[in-house]
Amino acid sequence: MSITLNRIAEQGTNGVAMMPIIQGVARAAATISALLRSAVFKDVLGEAGAENVQGEQQQKLDVLTDEIFFQEMRATGFVCAVGSEEQEQLQVVEEYAHADWLVLVDPLDGSSNLDIDGPVGTIFSIVKRTSPNLQRPQEMDCLQPGKQIVAAGYVLYGPATMLVCSVGNGVEGYSINPGTSRFELSHPDIRIPAQGGYYSVNEAYSSSWLGGMGSRLGRMKRETGLGMRYVGSMVADMHRTLLKGGIFLYPADENKPNGKLRLLYEAIPMGFLMEQAGGQAMSADGRVLEVMPQGLHQRIPVFLGATAAVSSLLA
Ligand code: AHG
Ligand code: MN
Ligand code: MN
């Protein structure tokens, strides 16, 4: 008998509360997966013709996946608002503005891979509102350090579509079984290997990295002997790191003094998962999950991986 996402409800009070929202994420993921597979025939590849709040050219699929995700969060009835990479402001779910939970999301991660049919993903984290339920949720409700999030996960749209998530009791992977069209447990208890794997970074920027990161990386390569893999999609690079070991990093550089990756919907969910899998999640000034967010779209350097690799890089 296959194990489905219902198993999440067996993981304590957090699991019971998170299951319907994570099932909503899974419904969005199934729709997005189908959309990606038929994208070329539906003329939804390419640029949407607008910039997002990040100052980046939005892909048509960035916009479409953001709407799909928001509608599935709304359909759960448990989410009062969504903070999205693709929306400058917090998106309040009007009918459920008194609900307990907010979801932060990067609806389509690695979208530069879309036109080369590379792996892309969705990244999410779930936080409990800090404002009274009778008030309208606001951005402040999202600005909580990662140590306070209740759940996080990602969907990897690769050869398989896989949802990797945690409600604070370790990390599990559920893959869509084409035979049943359901997410079924495929990777129970994901733990990052202590040794081996790869380092994963865009070394094209190494000459402008800040904080002596170039020499630090050189030392880490000598000390660990790790090979290098880089897809350019955080979800794919992080998934490989969790399963094979090593480290994923996106340092600050002269042109990006806070790095490129966003704290609330990339660094915190991935940092939460990395720690739940037995690894370390560091930024320039310490643990990612201790950073106090100042804004919905702030960026942060990240160093996420096995303790030996992270220590070798940052010691
Ligand atoms: P997004 O597509 O959501 O903007 O994220 C892209 C991010 C992340 O997926 C990846 O790790 C990083 O951009 C790659 O950046 P570079 O192309 O600068 O290496
Ligand atoms: Mn992203
Ligand atoms: Mn994105």
Side-chain angles (χ1 to χ4, degrees):
M1 177 66 181
S2 59
I3 297 173
T4 67
L5 288 166
N6 294 351
R7 172 173 145 115
I8 293 170
E10 298 163 15
Q11 299 182 31
T13 46
N14 283 350
V16 172
M18 293 296 97
M19 189 187 70
I21 300 174
I22 294 176
Q23 286 180 328
V25 173
R27 282 190 294 274
T31 304
I32 292 169
S33 178
L35 178 62
L36 293 171
R37 275 151 181 68
S38 58
V40 70
F41 300 110
K42 291 183 175 170
D43 186 29
V44 292
L45 290 173
E47 295 185 351
E51 270 190 6
N52 61 13
V53 62
Q54 324 284 340
E56 296 159 349
Q57 275 304 317
Q58 276 184 319
Q59 301 289 308
K60 291 175 190 170
L61 283 167
D62 283 325
V63 177
L64 290 170
T65 55
D66 182 53
E67 179 61 17
I68 290 166
F69 190 88
F70 180 82
Q71 292 307 332
E72 287 298 351
M73 291 302 96
R74 176 176 173 202
T76 66
F78 290 95
V79 175
C80 63
V82 176
S84 169
E85 178 191 58
E86 301 305 331
Q87 301 286 345
E88 183 163 5
Q89 310 294 329
L90 184 72
Q91 304 294 297
V92 175
V93 183
E94 296 301 341
E95 310 92 304
Y96 301 109
H98 304 322
D100 284 341
W101 304 101
L102 293 97
V103 181
L104 287 306
V105 66
D106 176 354
L108 197 59
D109 173 67
S111 39
S112 63
N113 277 333
L114 284 169
D115 52 358
I116 52 114
D117 200 27
V120 294
T122 297
I123 311 171
F124 69 94
S125 73
I126 306 172
V127 294
K128 188 156 193 173
R129 68 186 299 161
T130 50
S131 59
N133 288 64
L134 288 182
Q135 277 182 14
R136 188 174 171 74
Q138 44 198 301
E139 187 170 305
M140 273 307 292
D141 282 295
C142 303
L143 303 184
Q144 302 179 38
K147 62 188 175 185
Q148 286 169 352
I149 73 171
V150 177
Y154 58 81
V155 182
L156 175 59
Y157 307 102
T161 296
M162 186 165 158
L163 191 159
V164 174
C165 61
S166 174
V167 295
N169 302 312
V171 181
E172 297 178 327
Y174 295 80
S175 299
I176 289 184
N177 178 342
T180 61
S181 300
R182 285 189 316 188
F183 280 93
E184 295 177 6
L185 186 66
S186 55
H187 295 66
D189 194 22
I190 295 175
R191 304 282 297 170
I192 185 167
Q195 305 296 332
Y198 302 92
Y199 73 93
S200 186
V201 63
N202 187 338
E203 284 190 275
Y205 304 132
S206 60
S207 57
S208 63
W209 284 339
L210 304 180
M213 197 47 63
S215 51
R216 289 175 176 277
L217 185 69
R219 183 187 64 198
M220 187 217 72
K221 287 156 74 169
R222 289 190 301 275
E223 287 181 358
T224 61
L226 292 180
M228 195 282 265
R229 290 283 189 282
Y230 192 72
V231 177
S233 159
M234 186 184 195
V235 171
D237 285 319
M238 275 294 299
H239 189 63
R240 182 199 53 253
T241 305
L242 280 172
L243 267 56
K244 300 294 183 187
I247 183 172
F248 169 79
L249 55 149
Y250 205 113
D253 65 44
E254 290 157 8
N255 305 311
K256 301 189 286 291
N258 295 309
K260 175 180 183 182
L261 300 176
R262 277 62 50 136
L263 175 61
L264 283 187
Y265 40 79
E266 290 173 316
I268 284 178
M270 291 302 195
F272 179 78
L273 291 169
M274 181 54 76
E275 289 196 359
Q276 285 291 319
Q280 276 196 330
M282 302 301 284
S283 184
D285 305 318
R287 191 175 165 231
V288 167
L289 301 191
E290 297 282 350
V291 174
M292 188 62 208
Q294 303 302 319
L296 209 49
H297 302 292
Q298 87 183 67
R299 299 172 191 265
I300 187 171
V302 293
F303 310 94
L304 312 173
T307 300
V310 173
S311 308
S312 170
L313 183 74
L314 300 182

